[in-house]
Each structure stands twice: as C-alpha cells, then as structure tokens.
Amino acid sequence: MAILQTADNGVARHWNQPALPSSAGSLFQLLRDGSPRTRAELAAVTGLARSTISARVDDLLASSLVTPTGEAASTGGRPPATFAFNPGARIVVAVDLGVSHARVAVTDLASHVLAEETFDRSIADGPVAVLGAVTKTAVRLVEKVGRPLTDLAGVGIGLPGPVEYETGRPTSPPVMPGWDRFDVPGHLRETFPVPILVDNDVNIMALGEHEAVYRDVEDMILVKIASGIGAGIISDGQLQRGAQGAAGDLGHIAVPDGNSTPCTCGNVGCLEAVASGPAVAGRLREEGYTVETNSQLVELVRSGDRGAVQAVRQAGRDIGSVLAGCVNMLNPSVIVIGGVVAAVGEHLLAGIRESVYSRSLPLATQHLRIVSSRTEGRAGILGASALVTQHALSAEGVNALTDATA
Amino acid sequence: MAILQTADNGVARHWNQPALPSSAGSLFQLLRDGSPRTRAELAAVTGLARSTISARVDDLLASSLVTPTGEAASTGGRPPATFAFNPGARIVVAVDLGVSHARVAVTDLASHVLAEETFDRSIADGPVAVLGAVTKTAVRLVEKVGRPLTDLAGVGIGLPGPVEYETGRPTSPPVMPGWDRFDVPGHLRETFPVPILVDNDVNIMALGEHEAVYRDVEDMILVKIASGIGAGIISDGQLQRGAQGAAGDLGHIAVPDGNSTPCTCGNVGCLEAVASGPAVAGRLREEGYTVETNSQLVELVRSGDRGAVQAVRQAGRDIGSVLAGCVNMLNPSVIVIGGVVAAVGEHLLAGIRESVYSRSLPLATQHLRIVSSRTEGRAGILGASALVTQHALSAEGVNALTDATA
C-alpha cells in the first residue's frame, strides 16, 4: 500500500508551504473550494499543458477526491465536463481523550460526523489499554457507516496533556501516568496504516471551534475550564503550538492579586489552583456545601444557589484577570469559553468579561467578543477531524492519496 | 509606471498564500534560495512547458531580479546557462521612528545596509513634519548610494504606537499626537510610488532580530525596554499582529504581586508603570539620585552604583514575572531583550531570568534562552527592510516588479 509511505507525522509541519506545481495536489487545491471547473479552466489558471491537466484530473477522478459535477455552458460543440471536490471520498477517525472519558467519531473530509460514541475510561489505565479500547470502538464505527478501512484518510487524536506534535508523543504529561514519550502514532498504525495526527486536547478544541464556527476569525483563544484550565491559540488563522507544543498553558499563570494558594505544580497562586472546577468546589466545601465533582458544581450553580453563583463569578473574575494579559499580548477578536465547568453559564462569563474589560487596553477590547462554546461538547472531535483533513487535503496529502489509488 | 498598480498595502496580507503556478513569481520562489538552476531544472520541477519557462526567465532577467551565474556541467553539446537571485537588483528604504529620534537606511533585497542616517526628531511634531524630514533624508541616501528612485522596491517604516497593518494607519497611538488614522502610505507615496509597509516599532524590531539572527527559530518574543515596554511576537516563524495590530502590549499587563502604582493608561500596577526606564529613574530620584533620562540611568548602572543596580535588577524581576505568563501561553524558545534600557546589561537580564525560571513550567523553560539583542540598535531598520523584501519577493510582488520592467 503506497499510502504507508506517507504515514509520517513530520510532513504535517509543511501545510503552509506553497505547493510545487507539478503535483496532482496543487490542481486539487484549486478544486477544493467546491466550485466546479473544467479542464480548460484548470489549464488556463495553472499554465500546465492540457495533456498534463488530463493526466492529473484522471488521477483525482480515480481517487474519487474529485467527481464529475456536470457540464459547463458550451461555446459550440460538445459541452466540457466540470469537476469538484467530493468530501465523501474518504473517512476520518477522530478521537478526543479526556482524563476520565473517551469520545470516538467517524467523519467525512468536511468534518461531518457520520457516527460517534462516548464512553468512560480513565487515561491513567495507560496507553496500551486506552488506545486498545479506542481502536476497537473506531473499527466498529467504521463498519457501522459501511466503509472499508481502505477509505480511511487518517486518524486525529487529542490527549489531555502536552504533546510533541512532530512525533505525536506526549511529553511529561502530569495527569497521564505511563504515557510519557509513548509512540501513539506507531501504536495506532498497527491497526490503521494511515497518517496519525496527535495533539493536545485544548488545541484540537480550539481548532474544532475555529473550523466549525469561527473560520473567518484570524485571532482566537479557546479556554477550557474543567478539572484543569488550559487554552488553545489561533493566531493569523493558524493553531499555535509553541516550541515544545506547550503553548496555551493558562492554568499555571499567576493570578495578579498576589494570592498564595498552593498549586499541584509546586508554585503558588496559579490560576488553576484558584479557579478550576475542583478549586471552586473545594472552597464551597469549606463553606459547608457537599459538592465533589464538576457536574455537581454545575448543577448547584444552575439551581441558583447564591453561594455557588458567587463562587463561580469570582472564579470568572480570576480567569479574566489572567486572560486580560493574554488579550494585551495576543489581541484576539474572539475568546471562546468551553470545558465542562463552562456549562454553569452566564455567571462565569460575566466574571470573565468584568476582569478582561477592566484590565485590557481599549484598542484590544473594542471589538473583542467573549462567548460560550457553540459546538456542544464536540469541539475536540471536530478539531481532531480537522487535523486530519487539513493534512490529507494539502498538496502533499493529496498526492499520497492519489498515488495509493493509482 | 506599472508598479503604481501594486502600491496597495492590502496585498501584503497574502504573503502566505500558495502562488498560482502561472506567474514569473512562482518560478522566482524556486530561485530565491540562491542556488543556481538551469532552464531544464526549472521545467522539471515546475512541470511548465519549456517555452513558458523561457518566457518567464526572460522576464526575470529583464528585471535583473535574476542574473546569469554561469554554466552547468554539460552532458554533451553547449553547456546550459544557470540563473540565481540577485539581491542587488533593487533597493529598499527602511525607516525606524522612535518617540524622539529617527533612523533612515537604504538596503538591498537581502537587508544589507548600504547607507544609514540617524537624527533627533520628536514624533510629536506630527506626521507631515516628521515624514517630510524622513523623505528628504531617504532621497539623499538613495542618491548617495548612486541608485535611481526607479530601483526602489518599497519603503518599510516602524512607528512608536499601534498600527493597523492593512492600511498602514496608526490607531489611537498614545504618544503620537496628530498621527491617529493618518494615511502614512498615501503621504509617502507622493514621493515614492512603490509599496509602503507600515508597522509598530516593536514588531519590526522582532522581525529584524529574527531575520538577522534567529531565522531558524520558530517561536520568539522580542521585548523592548525603553520609555515604554512592548513586545513583538514571532509564532510558527511568522510575526503575529493580532486582530487590531495591538498584539505584544506587554507594558500594560498587571505585575502579579498586587502592587498599585498608577499608570498613564488609567489602570494600576501595569508593568510599564513599575519597570520602564522612567519608572526606575523615578524611584531612584526618590532615593536622592539625580537621574532623568534613560541614558543617564544606563550610565549610572554601568558605573556600578549599588542602588541603581538593585533597582534595575528588581525591574528585571517585575518584567520576568509578567513574561513568565507569556512563556506559559506562547512557549517561545528565545526571548530577546532590546531597547535603550537593555544596555544596562546583565543585571536586568538576571532579574528577568530569575522570575521567568521560577514562575514558568519546566517543559516551557527547559530549552528557553533569554538573551540580549545582537543587532546593535539596528533591529528596527533591519525589520523595516525585511517587511519590504518579504512583500517584494513574494510571487505577487515579483510579478509586479517584472511587469514594471516589461
């Protein structure tokens, strides 16, 4: 299978490089927008010889990445055939792993979810057990949608810890015992001999929300508030991972009020130690509440309990006071608040807005929107799928797919 | 002059878009790396017809952007001619405007400075007076290097305030009375009918330092410490400007120690109010020192005065405590400290390092270098030049230049 040769995450670094015009891939980039085009139009735009165009179009048709869409208006003689991108040509396995749950989906190349399953599973069970369960579910879902595994363009997977994106290996993840430096792509490739793309869970949430809702927004921050607090950063339209894949670590920035709450990281006054779900629940317990989990906290706030509402509003202010610095540094136009604790609703958002608008400069906040996630818990899945489609539909990825068919 | 048609900053947004293969520009992208290539090699790599290649190469030769570099080894018959990029083909005017000074240079397309002049000029004199002085100097420098104005590829200019990059207009700049929304490109184009690229002074410093010293570094922050404090951000190899061109505003992030020093921005506890040159000098005056300007402060610290050294070290700690949050968010591999106050040397750097390494997570700091600027005050000029060359040498820019010659 020629596609095996491309099962190297390294190539994913080069999405933004201009394609060399000799590939079927660059022809595909012209068709990817969905507009039907004729062979003559493709020749005119690319400057490639008609014979070259015909050979490339034949490759794309054989791979089904492109399908005939009908005929253009004729200027006399037989009307020329038109072609366009066919998102159903391939499928994608998208996986979102949390600390205690897993979500697996099969999507098409436009990130439409075809089948989906969620189950409880502790990440602390280690990579072999967890990835084994994920693989079994994924194979079952692919069967369920009635597609052969050879239709698979790739697997995208988000992990709840820092990931070295080039190799797909977790790096010193604090809540993932047994996962440090584990070869996730290598392990999954035993079942799925396709490109495997691995990233941090908050990064894929940012990517998913961006692709699904804010595609025209160039600068966005997604904040996940759950048992931890983290952020995914889109700058200039691109997900930013930083030098070691550790970008977006909002949870261990010091809250600028000089507080000294000890944090699990060894420092004091970290945002996570003050405003995460467990931190807020802990403070409420000190006041006599019986609240253990994030979902109990959400329920309590939604029931309108005054003490819980106040605690969540204060958590919002603390998150906002740290986000204000991020707004000054990154000047985003949208901040999306997601994660299970975000389900408490407007009280949290109000606290966040209060601090951000009082602490950031007017130029950076005049057009800033601070909003709740609109992907209903699916941001991770959508982002994992987008990781794969961005890779598979790049010029390089398309050449690999057409080579595999040829 | 055909080049007038491209004097639109809007096109600069599109540097990263893949070139359509029909242009002389995309051929030039292959030659830009400096390696000599033959027509046959260019045809093989691009898949373009030999006749197309010959026409495009002729355009590039006519524009002098590409020059013959000799002959390749022959496989029999007449040896084929080779071609490569010629950075001396065009010149660039690079301008770095500070609050009280101006620096103007003429460079080639590889950002080598051919002539340079620095003079005192208050930015508060307003755009017409300041840009008039800049224009006069630039015209004189172009004459000095013996080149006609028609050789000019563009003008790059940095301003000490936020700039809307797409239009080149300053937006609510706090220290630039009379400049708000002034059409800087339109004004300069009366003398220089070429693309005019305008950006914030710290952004061009980051770009200049990156191009000159850290070209292989994907994630970098440059911090300017002078009368104000600001940062320029390179993420994934690209300068990040944010939604309103306001990214990198480090100076108005709250120092996370709960301090309440009032700031000119109307808030309290901003980094700039605590650790800028004037803030440190002000504290020293309270202790009985006679120190007014940034250069007097630098001199005092360099003389080894203990109180001044301590004050600068504390300023470094405060800067580091805010930078620690930026390190967690952006995970850079290099932080460059520049600006006139950086000339105090190691004491400032030591304070910054102390805070960053104590407050950021190990994964983000294990490979992090915090260093002084290595461009000796020229970062702004080099960055302004790089703004223009990146634009002029893009596929679009090259097509404009070859059209102008044709």
Side-chain angles (χ1 to χ4, degrees):
Chain A
M1 246 179 120
I3 205 171
L4 263 169
Q5 298 168 357
T6 70
D8 169 10
N9 272 330
V11 298
R13 278 198 69 77
H14 305 295
W15 289 339
N16 293 320
Q17 293 192 347
L20 292 180
S22 64
S23 60
S26 71
L27 209 62
F28 175 76
Q29 297 311 311
L30 288 172
L31 289 159
R32 198 185 156 183
D33 63 7
S35 313
R37 293 177 202 250
T38 65
R39 285 188 178 88
E41 283 165 359
L42 291 170
V45 178
T46 60
L48 293 171
R50 284 297 291 269
S51 57
T52 313
I53 293 284
S54 283
R56 303 283 146 76
V57 168
D58 286 347
D59 285 350
L60 289 168
L61 288 169
S63 73
S64 353
L65 281 176
V66 157
T67 42
T69 46
E71 292 172 346
S74 171
T75 52
R78 190 164 66 88
T82 57
F83 311 96
F85 171 42
N86 169 28
R90 291 288 187 288
I91 54 170
V92 173
V93 166
V95 183
D96 179 16
L97 288 179
V99 172
S100 57
H101 79 278
R103 192 186 278 245
V104 182
V106 173
T107 76
D108 68 10
L109 290 176
S111 295
H112 292 128
V113 176
L114 307 173
E116 190 178 11
E117 212 171 284
T118 308
F119 54 94
D120 287 341
R121 182 88 212 195
S122 172
I123 198 85
D125 290 348
V128 175
V130 173
L131 294 178
V134 163
T135 301
K136 254 169 106 173
T137 309
V139 168
R140 189 169 58 246
L141 289 176
V142 171
E143 271 169 22
K144 192 171 159 190
V145 302
R147 301 287 292 260
L149 268 184
T150 47
D151 274 5
L152 195 61
V155 177
I157 177 165
L159 300 177
V163 173
E164 186 180 69
Y165 183 64
E166 281 70 32
T167 62
R169 291 171 188 262
T171 42
S172 321
V175 296
M176 299 171 64
W179 288 78
D180 191 25
R181 305 295 306 160
F182 186 82
D183 182 10
V184 177
H187 191 82
L188 288 176
R189 227 174 268 137
E190 288 170 17
T191 312
F192 307 111
V194 291
I196 314 283
L197 298 145
V198 191
D199 208 337
N200 169 269
D201 60 344
V202 193
N203 282 351
I204 62 166
M205 283 176 72
L207 189 61
E209 193 84 17
H210 186 254
E211 289 289 301
V213 187
Y214 300 102
R215 211 177 262 234
D216 294 335
V217 169
E218 296 282 311
D219 300 275
M220 186 190 111
I221 299 175
L222 179 133
V223 180
K224 178 184 178 181
I225 307 168
S227 297
I229 296 179
I233 302 168
I234 309 270
S235 289
D236 209 8
Q238 300 293 321
L239 185 61
Q240 302 298 338
R241 296 181 174 91
Q244 274 78 40
D249 200 337
L250 197 68
H252 299 283
I253 298 181
V255 177
D257 63 356
N259 99 63
S260 58
T261 313
C263 180
T264 51
C265 77
N267 247 312
V268 297
C270 293
L271 180 60
E272 194 163 296
V274 175
S276 65
V280 174
R283 266 205 307 285
L284 287 171
R285 282 198 302 276
E286 283 171 18
E287 295 173 19
Y289 286 86
T290 51
V291 52
E292 294 292 333
T293 65
N294 288 332
S295 38
Q296 286 168 349
L297 173 65
V298 169
E299 222 173 293
L300 193 63
V301 175
R302 293 192 134 185
S303 76
D305 179 274
R306 204 164 142 181
V309 166
Q310 283 176 347
V312 153
R313 174 127 190 170
Q314 182 55 41
R317 286 190 199 104
D318 291 334
I319 293 166
S321 69
V322 169
L323 269 179
C326 303
V327 167
N328 283 351
M329 267 310 264
L330 295 169
N331 184 204
S333 46
V334 175
I335 296 178
V336 178
I337 308 297
V340 288
V341 174
V344 298
E346 279 300 318
H347 302 295
L348 181 73
L349 237 62
I352 293 174
R353 290 194 185 112
E354 185 185 324
S355 291
V356 169
Y357 288 109
S358 81
R359 273 287 353 166
S360 298
L361 291 180
L363 181 62
T365 54
Q366 62 184 347
H367 300 297
L368 174 65
R369 286 179 289 162
I370 302 177
V371 296
S372 290
S373 165
R374 283 169 52 189
T375 49
E376 295 167 355
R378 272 182 166 175
I381 283 297
L382 296 175
S385 171
L387 268 189
V388 175
T389 56
Q390 285 186 354
H391 172 62
L393 302 186
S394 67
E396 222 166 334
V398 168
N399 287 333
L401 291 177
T402 52
D403 286 354
T405 338
Chain B
M1 246 180 119
I3 206 170
L4 262 170
Q5 297 167 358
T6 69
D8 169 10
N9 271 331
V11 298
R13 275 197 70 76
H14 305 296
W15 288 340
N16 292 321
Q17 293 192 347
L20 292 180
S22 65
S23 60
S26 72
L27 209 62
F28 175 75
Q29 298 309 313
L30 288 173
L31 289 160
R32 198 184 155 183
D33 63 6
S35 312
R37 292 177 202 251
T38 65
R39 286 188 178 87
E41 283 164 359
L42 292 169
V45 178
T46 60
L48 294 172
R50 284 298 290 269
S51 57
T52 313
I53 293 284
S54 283
R56 302 286 144 75
V57 167
D58 286 348
D59 285 350
L60 288 168
L61 288 170
S63 74
S64 352
L65 281 175
V66 157
T67 43
T69 46
E71 292 172 346
S74 172
T75 53
R78 191 164 66 89
T82 57
F83 312 96
F85 171 42
N86 169 27
R90 292 287 188 287
I91 53 171
V92 172
V93 165
V95 182
D96 180 15
L97 288 179
V99 172
S100 56
H101 79 279
R103 193 187 277 244
V104 182
V106 173
T107 76
D108 68 10
L109 292 174
S111 295
H112 292 129
V113 175
L114 306 174
E116 190 178 12
E117 211 169 285
T118 307
F119 53 95
D120 287 340
R121 182 89 212 194
S122 171
I123 198 84
D125 290 348
V128 176
V130 173
L131 295 177
V134 163
T135 302
K136 255 169 104 173
T137 309
V139 169
R140 189 170 57 243
L141 289 175
V142 171
E143 271 169 23
K144 192 171 160 189
V145 302
R147 302 288 291 260
L149 269 183
T150 46
D151 274 5
L152 195 62
V155 177
I157 176 164
L159 300 177
V163 173
E164 187 180 70
Y165 183 64
E166 281 69 33
T167 62
R169 291 171 189 261
T171 44
S172 320
V175 297
M176 298 171 64
W179 288 79
D180 191 26
R181 305 296 305 159
F182 186 81
D183 182 9
V184 177
H187 191 82
L188 288 176
R189 227 174 268 136
E190 289 170 16
T191 311
F192 307 111
V194 291
I196 314 283
L197 298 143
V198 192
D199 208 336
N200 170 268
D201 58 344
V202 193
N203 282 351
I204 62 165
M205 282 176 72
L207 189 61
E209 193 83 16
H210 186 255
E211 289 289 300
V213 188
Y214 299 102
R215 210 176 262 235
D216 295 335
V217 169
E218 296 281 311
D219 299 275
M220 185 190 111
I221 300 175
L222 179 133
V223 180
K224 178 185 178 180
I225 307 168
S227 298
I229 297 178
I233 303 167
I234 309 271
S235 288
D236 211 7
Q238 300 293 321
L239 184 62
Q240 302 298 337
R241 297 182 173 90
Q244 275 78 39
D249 200 339
L250 197 70
H252 299 283
I253 298 182
V255 177
D257 64 356
N259 98 62
S260 59
T261 313
C263 181
T264 50
C265 77
N267 247 312
V268 298
C270 294
L271 180 60
E272 194 164 295
V274 174
S276 64
V280 175
R283 266 204 309 284
L284 287 172
R285 280 198 303 276
E286 284 170 18
E287 293 174 21
Y289 287 86
T290 50
V291 52
E292 295 292 334
T293 66
N294 287 332
S295 37
Q296 285 168 348
L297 173 66
V298 170
E299 222 173 293
L300 192 63
V301 175
R302 292 191 136 187
S303 76
D305 178 275
R306 203 164 143 181
V309 165
Q310 283 176 347
V312 153
R313 175 128 188 168
Q314 183 54 42
R317 286 191 199 104
D318 292 333
I319 293 165
S321 69
V322 169
L323 268 179
C326 303
V327 167
N328 282 351
M329 268 310 265
L330 295 169
N331 185 203
S333 48
V334 175
I335 295 178
V336 178
I337 308 296
V340 288
V341 175
V344 297
E346 279 300 317
H347 302 294
L348 181 73
L349 237 62
I352 294 174
R353 289 195 185 113
E354 184 184 326
S355 291
V356 169
Y357 288 110
S358 81
R359 274 282 0 162
S360 299
L361 290 180
L363 181 62
T365 54
Q366 62 185 346
H367 301 296
L368 174 65
R369 286 178 289 161
I370 302 177
V371 296
S372 290
S373 165
R374 282 168 54 191
T375 49
E376 295 167 354
R378 272 182 166 175
I381 282 296
L382 296 175
S385 170
L387 269 188
V388 175
T389 56
Q390 286 186 354
H391 172 61
L393 303 186
S394 68
E396 223 166 332
V398 168
N399 287 333
L401 291 178
T402 52
D403 286 353
T405 338

